[in-house]
Amino acid sequence: MEFRRKIYTRGSSYETTIPMPLLFSADKKKKYVAVFTYDQITGKWFLKIEEENTGKQNAR
Protein backbone atom coordinates (compact mmCIF):
# COMPACT_ATOMS: atom_id res chain seq x y z
CA MET A 1 0.00 0.00 0.00
CA GLU A 2 1.31 3.45 -0.89
CA PHE A 3 -0.09 6.96 -1.05
CA ARG A 4 1.37 10.36 -1.91
CA ARG A 5 0.81 13.83 -0.51
CA LYS A 6 2.03 17.16 -1.85
CA ILE A 7 4.08 19.36 0.46
CA TYR A 8 3.23 23.01 0.05
CA THR A 9 3.36 26.28 1.94
CA ARG A 10 0.44 27.92 3.69
CA GLY A 11 1.40 31.50 4.26
CA SER A 12 4.65 31.38 6.21
CA SER A 13 4.48 27.70 7.21
CA TYR A 14 4.37 24.27 5.58
CA GLU A 15 1.43 21.88 5.38
CA THR A 16 1.27 20.15 8.77
CA THR A 17 1.12 16.54 7.55
CA ILE A 18 4.93 16.36 7.57
CA PRO A 19 6.82 17.72 10.61
CA MET A 20 9.37 20.34 9.54
CA PRO A 21 12.38 18.50 11.12
CA LEU A 22 11.84 15.70 8.59
CA LEU A 23 12.31 18.23 5.79
CA PHE A 24 15.58 19.74 7.03
CA SER A 25 17.49 18.79 3.86
CA ALA A 26 14.74 19.83 1.42
CA ASP A 27 15.31 22.88 -0.77
CA LYS A 28 12.47 25.28 0.07
CA LYS A 29 12.41 26.59 -3.50
CA LYS A 30 11.48 23.18 -4.95
CA LYS A 31 8.21 21.26 -4.76
CA TYR A 32 8.11 17.85 -3.12
CA VAL A 33 5.78 14.90 -2.64
CA ALA A 34 5.64 12.80 0.51
CA VAL A 35 5.30 9.08 -0.27
CA PHE A 36 3.90 6.96 2.56
CA THR A 37 4.45 3.21 2.15
CA TYR A 38 3.00 0.51 4.40
CA ASP A 39 4.89 -2.77 4.83
CA GLN A 40 2.30 -5.45 5.65
CA ILE A 41 4.94 -7.92 6.86
CA THR A 42 6.42 -5.64 9.54
CA GLY A 43 3.29 -3.54 10.09
CA LYS A 44 5.31 -0.33 9.74
CA TRP A 45 4.84 2.84 7.70
CA PHE A 46 7.77 4.40 5.83
CA LEU A 47 8.11 7.96 4.58
CA LYS A 48 10.09 9.02 1.51
CA ILE A 49 10.40 12.60 0.26
CA GLU A 50 10.67 12.96 -3.54
CA GLU A 51 10.88 15.96 -5.85
CA GLU A 52 7.53 16.56 -7.50
CA ASN A 53 7.41 15.43 -11.12
CA THR A 54 5.78 18.32 -12.96
CA GLY A 55 5.35 16.27 -16.12
CA LYS A 56 7.30 18.82 -18.16
CA GLN A 57 10.04 17.46 -20.36
CA ASN A 58 13.01 19.37 -21.70
CA ALA A 59 12.36 20.77 -25.15
CA ARG A 60 14.88 19.74 -27.79
Side-chain angles (χ1 to χ4, degrees), residues 24-58:
F24 73 94
S25 64
D27 183 357
K28 294 180 181 178
K29 295 177 183 174
K30 295 181 181 179
K31 293 185 178 185
Y32 293 94
V33 174
V35 180
F36 296 87
T37 307
Y38 182 71
D39 184 355
Q40 292 181 342
I41 296 171
T42 62
K44 294 181 181 181
W45 284 94
F46 295 93
L47 170 67
K48 183 170 44 169
I49 306 297
E50 298 178 348
E51 260 190 78
E52 185 176 31
N53 184 0
T54 60
K56 297 178 183 176
Q57 295 180 353
N58 295 336

